[in-house]
Amino acid sequence: MVELARRAATGSAESVAGSRPRSVPFTRTYISPEAGQAVLDVLATGWITSGQQVVEFETEFARYLGVDDAVAVSSCTAAIELSLRALQLPPRSKVLMSAMTFCGAAAAIAHAGHVVVLADVDDVTGMPSPSTVAAAAAECDGVDALVVVHLGGLPTDVRALAEAAGVAMTHVVEDAAHALGTWVDETPVGTISHATCFSFYATKNLPIGEGGMVTTNDPALAARVREMRLHGMSKDAWRRYLPGGGWRYDVTVDGIKANMTDVQAAMGRAQLRCFDEMQARRRVVADRYDAALAQVPGLRLPARPVTGTHAWHLYAVRVMPEYGLGRDELIDRLRERGIGTSVHFIPVHHLTWFKRQCVLPARGLPGVDAVFDRTLSLPMDAIITNAEVDAVCTALAEEGGAS
């Protein structure tokens, strides 16, 4: 805790001693000194694409979660697509997902050759509930698979959603891009369903720039994902060029280009060693926001799980009518004060290409639309300082009710 605790206490380079920070970015990426050195060490070997570092990262990631297999890939989007392909569903199978999530999840379903079925969300969690899932599945005469998102790091009951959708757990893929560190009851995300997909994008809780991981307890699924992640080739370049390796290979399945490099994996291994420290800081930040914003009229704080653990990838409030400003106007006001924010996410059915690709309920998605209009993600990362959090809270209190 030494490095991040020091940053939290001393502030950032943009702060002036005894004053508020001049600006607060929406997010910053913390790369540990060990991760930087790990990259230099890999560069010095002369082998920078997929190799031993990827194998070691997979092993250490699986051990961290307590799962049998982890397969490193190029992104969470690729992880979802490969996981769906590995389920070996018939073409044009119906795959149900939340409309309130990143478009990459819907693209993964479409690119895997399936039909995207969108479900509405609960007003409190911003995620599908058993009732919205059941309604969406019933309206299209049942679905074949389910992609479950843990939005912002808030846990959702995967098994309850699968039961509501009428889908076996063997046909559930979790979108855990926000959820490394999330627990559903007493079980860590990554060990629950047939395949769980993580992101290591620059803003994520375990940031390495780009990258993803599929975790599973099914060795056959892991083997299929490994085979498909590099064009379906039977041997990657590293194994071909090892002493005693041969240049021949076969292509046995329809694969894609989605491998992770040793540079990324070396960073990931080092970042994983300080992940618990980064998560501890995120929890402190969320608690500090809660304490300061609880009495600001018209701001609804993020839902906290009754059981389980929130990963706090996002700290997203709802800007209700009582606040006095609309969400978009508040974003502009905060920007003028040097405070960065974001919105997670533009719903899938609001995006032009996906309007043609997705199946929507006949009554539309009123829950998603209402949540989207009010949601605002505040600055959150593992190195935001106490002074920066306080500056954000002060600005929100001052802007509330302003004309």
Side-chain angles (χ1 to χ4, degrees), residues 80-322:
I80 296 171
E81 178 179 347
L82 289 167
S83 296
L84 289 168
R85 285 170 173 254
L87 295 183
Q88 299 178 312
L89 302 169
R92 303 288 295 170
S93 291
K94 292 174 285 187
V95 181
L96 182 65
M97 62 169 280
S98 173
M100 178 59 81
T101 190
F102 184 55
C103 60
I109 295 170
H111 293 163
H114 302 309
V115 176
V116 181
V117 178
L118 296 178
D120 209 350
V121 301
D122 173 74
D123 178 65
V124 174
T125 67
M127 296 184 292
S129 65
S131 62
T132 67
V133 163
E139 191 164 328
C140 63
D141 297 322
V143 295
D144 304 293
L146 180 65
V147 173
V148 176
V149 65
H150 302 274
L151 186 64
L154 179 67
T156 192
D157 189 336
V158 182
R159 292 184 177 87
L161 294 185
E163 182 178 356
V167 170
M169 287 296 292
T170 55
H171 286 63
V172 175
V173 173
E174 285 177 76
D175 176 356
H178 296 178
L180 183 58
T182 298
W183 288 55
V184 178
D185 296 327
E186 302 300 318
T187 307
V189 167
T191 65
I192 301 168
S193 57
H194 206 52
T196 305
C197 304
F198 294 95
S199 173
F200 307 129
Y201 181 65
T203 64
K204 296 302 190 290
N205 293 34
L206 185 73
I208 65 174
E210 297 285 354
M213 192 77 78
V214 178
T215 61
T216 181
N217 286 316
D218 180 350
L221 184 140
R224 287 195 291 271
V225 173
R226 282 198 172 90
E227 193 172 23
M228 289 187 292
R229 70 179 169 182
L230 190 60
H231 306 297
M233 295 167 64
S234 57
K235 286 193 296 186
D236 60 26
W238 178 57
R239 288 172 175 81
R240 297 200 307 274
Y241 299 150
L242 283 172
W247 56 268
R248 295 182 185 277
Y249 60 86
D250 194 7
V251 173
T252 56
V253 296
D254 179 18
I256 63 176
K257 171 66 170 172
N259 59 302
M260 180 181 282
T261 71
D262 267 15
V263 173
Q264 295 167 298
M267 289 181 65
R269 295 179 66 194
Q271 294 286 81
L272 186 60
R273 288 192 285 273
C274 64
F275 178 70
D276 289 343
E277 182 181 358
M278 292 191 284
Q279 285 302 103
R281 178 59 191 160
R282 285 178 178 269
R283 289 192 294 271
V284 169
V285 172
D287 289 346
R288 196 174 186 93
Y289 270 134
D290 273 6
L293 298 178
Q295 303 306 315
V296 178
L299 284 187
R300 184 191 293 180
L301 303 188
R304 284 180 175 258
V306 177
T307 61
T309 303
H310 199 309
W312 295 115
H313 172 61
L314 299 176
Y315 189 93
V317 298
R318 303 275 180 83
V319 184
M320 308 303 287
E322 298 80 14

